[in-house]
Amino acid sequence: MTLCIEDADYSPFILPDAPAQHAGVLPALAMHAAEHTQQTLKLIRHPWKRCIDMVQKGQVDLILAAIWLPERDVWGQYPKHANAPSGPPDRSKRLWTAEYPVFVANNSSLTYDGKAFNATKVGLAGPPGYVVTKRLAAMGLLYAQPLMPATGLRLVALERLDGYAVERHIGTHLLYQQNLHSKVRTLSPVFQRDDWYVVFSYPFAEQHPEQVAAFYAALEQARERFGQALLERHLNQAKRQYSATTTPR
C-alpha cells in the first residue's frame, strides 16, 4: 500500500526527512497497523493538497491525517459505521484526536469566547488547506496570504499577525525550534478539537474491503496500545534536543 503524508515538519506527529518507521507518531501507528495485518506500507511525501488529489485519483492507496467533513466523502473512504455509510466516521477507528488552540503574542489583546474573537487587526491564519483555516476564512478573519506554521508562528511572535491556529504539540515544537516559545501563548478555550483519520482511495477500498477493515481494526488497537507512549517518547526526545541547544557552553 502506498501512503501519502504531508511533506512538512509537524513534529511530533510527522517528522521531516525520516524513513517510514521513524517518521513520527502518525506514520508509526499506521506502520503498526499494517504490520499487524501482514501488509506493507510505502511512504511518499507531498504537499497536503497533492496528497488529497492523489488519493482522489487512486494514485495512492491511503493518506493521513484527515479531518472528516461531509464533502470529503467525495474523494476518500473514511471508516464508516456499516449502517450509516453517508454519516460521520466511526470514531473508534480514528487515528488521533487533536486540539487546535490559537497561538498569540504574549501581550496580545486578542480574546476568544468560544464563538467569536474580539477585534482583529490584520487577521488570523492556519495551515493552508486545513479545516481550521477554512473555518477562519468562513468567519471573515483569514489573513490575506497563505502561511505555513513555522512562518505564521514567527509572524505572531513579531506581532505582525494576530494569531495562528495549529495543533497544540506541533505549534509548541515549532516555537521551541525557532526559540520563540517565551514570546507566544495560547488562547483559551481551544478553537477547534477534531479527530484525524487515515483515508483510503475508493479504488483500493472497493477492491480490498477486507484488507481495509482489518487495517482500521488494527489501527484502533495500535492507537490504544502505543499512541500515548509514542507521543511521550517523541516529546521527551524534543525536550532533550531543546535543552541541548539552549544550555550555555
Side-chain angles (χ1 to χ4, degrees):
M1 298 190 298
T2 303
L3 166 66
C4 189
I5 66 172
E6 188 166 3
D7 187 15
D9 182 0
Y10 287 161
S11 302
F13 296 105
I14 295 177
L15 278 61
D17 304 321
Q21 62 269 31
H22 302 297
V25 173
L26 303 186
L29 288 174
M31 293 289 289
H32 275 294
E35 291 170 2
H36 187 76
T37 53
Q38 288 77 54
Q39 303 173 65
T40 58
L41 284 180
K42 175 185 177 183
L43 182 68
I44 62 173
R45 298 170 181 268
H46 290 294
W48 180 236
K49 290 183 179 180
R50 185 174 177 191
C51 283
I52 291 176
D53 183 65
M54 292 178 76
V55 81
Q56 182 172 14
K57 294 176 179 176
Q59 295 172 342
V60 297
D61 300 315
L62 61 164
I63 64 172
L64 66 79
I67 294 170
W68 178 78
L69 293 173
E71 58 265 31
R72 289 187 164 188
D73 282 337
V74 172
W75 54 252
Q77 177 65 61
Y78 287 77
K80 296 299 188 75
H81 295 279
N83 59 348
S86 61
D90 179 353
R91 288 198 69 241
S92 70
K93 304 301 187 294
R94 68 190 182 278
L95 176 61
W96 201 264
T97 299
E99 287 189 346
Y100 294 79
V102 172
F103 290 80
V104 298
N106 281 342
N107 62 349
S108 172
S109 60
L110 189 69
T111 62
Y112 177 60
D113 63 7
K115 294 182 179 180
F117 294 90
N118 65 342
T120 58
K121 298 176 182 178
V122 297
L124 296 96
Y130 277 41
V131 171
V132 67
T133 308
K134 293 178 180 179
R135 183 179 171 195
L136 289 172
M139 296 171 71
L141 300 173
L142 191 62
Y143 185 67
Q145 301 297 324
L147 297 171
M148 294 299 289
T151 302
L153 291 168
R154 184 165 62 253
L155 292 178
V156 167
L158 294 171
E159 300 184 45
R160 292 167 55 189
L161 182 69
D162 294 321
Y164 196 90
V166 68
E167 194 280 333
R168 184 182 301 279
H169 294 297
I170 293 171
T172 300
H173 164 79
L174 291 171
L175 287 170
Y176 271 96
Q177 188 181 69
Q178 301 180 90
N179 198 26
L180 298 173
H181 55 284
S182 63
K183 299 180 180 181
V184 177
R185 60 184 173 87
T186 57
L187 294 183
S188 292
V190 170
F191 180 57
Q192 186 165 305
R193 183 176 288 104
D194 272 305
D195 293 328
W196 290 341
Y197 291 93
V198 171
V199 182
F200 280 87
S201 73
Y202 279 117
F204 187 90
E206 290 168 358
Q207 294 171 24
H208 309 283
E210 294 181 357
Q211 194 171 332
V212 170
F215 177 90
Y216 279 132
L219 183 64
E220 177 183 2
Q221 294 180 7
R223 186 193 71 246
E224 293 179 349
R225 293 179 60 190
F226 310 118
Q228 191 61 34
L230 283 168
L231 176 62
E232 290 176 0
R233 186 182 74 188
H234 281 282
L235 292 177
N236 288 335
Q237 289 174 347
K239 287 178 181 178
R240 289 194 294 270
Q241 179 183 350
Y242 300 147
S243 299
T245 56
T246 58
T247 300
R249 297 180 182 276

